[in-house]
Amino acid sequence: MNPESGSPWMESTQVTAVTDGAALVFTWNADARIEVRDLGGEVVIEANAAGLETLARHLLVLAGDGVPDGAHLHLEDSNGLEEGSVGLVLERSDGE
């Protein structure tokens, strides 16, 4: 995710939840760097400060009022995560 030179760059992705057609907006900081590695029995999420803030906001969106059970966000290599990362799914689950 590279910002264009000289522009205040923010990327947003909208995911429409199935229930009530609610749109969930996830926003990345311009300089966010997030990498996810599978170390065989342990997952490491490595991020700079902007990346950690971005992940925190993603989780807060999913925790919001009216967000349905099962709402989720897929993060993948070169789609929200650094190249070479393993995929990560953030999902709300209100069940037991």
Side-chain angles (χ1 to χ4, degrees):
M1 297 175 35
N2 295 324
E4 292 180 20
S5 180
S7 67
W9 184 77
M10 291 293 278
E11 179 177 331
S12 66
T13 302
Q14 287 189 348
V15 177
T16 302
V18 175
T19 304
D20 299 327
L24 305 179
V25 179
F26 299 94
T27 304
W28 279 254
N29 283 11
D31 54 349
R33 187 190 59 74
I34 307 165
E35 182 177 349
V36 179
R37 295 187 313 256
D38 179 357
L39 300 181
E42 190 170 65
V43 174
V44 175
I45 298 174
E46 181 180 294
N48 62 5
L52 292 171
E53 288 176 7
T54 296
L55 285 173
R57 278 196 314 276
H58 291 349
L59 294 171
L60 288 171
V61 167
L62 289 169
D65 290 339
V67 175
D69 185 53
H72 61 280
L73 173 66
H74 288 263
L75 300 172
E76 299 168 343
D77 176 327
S78 299
N79 182 24
L81 301 178
E82 293 294 302
E83 188 173 328
S85 292
V86 296
L88 177 67
V89 178
L90 306 175
E91 182 173 352
R92 179 170 179 152
S93 176
D94 294 322
E96 295 178 24

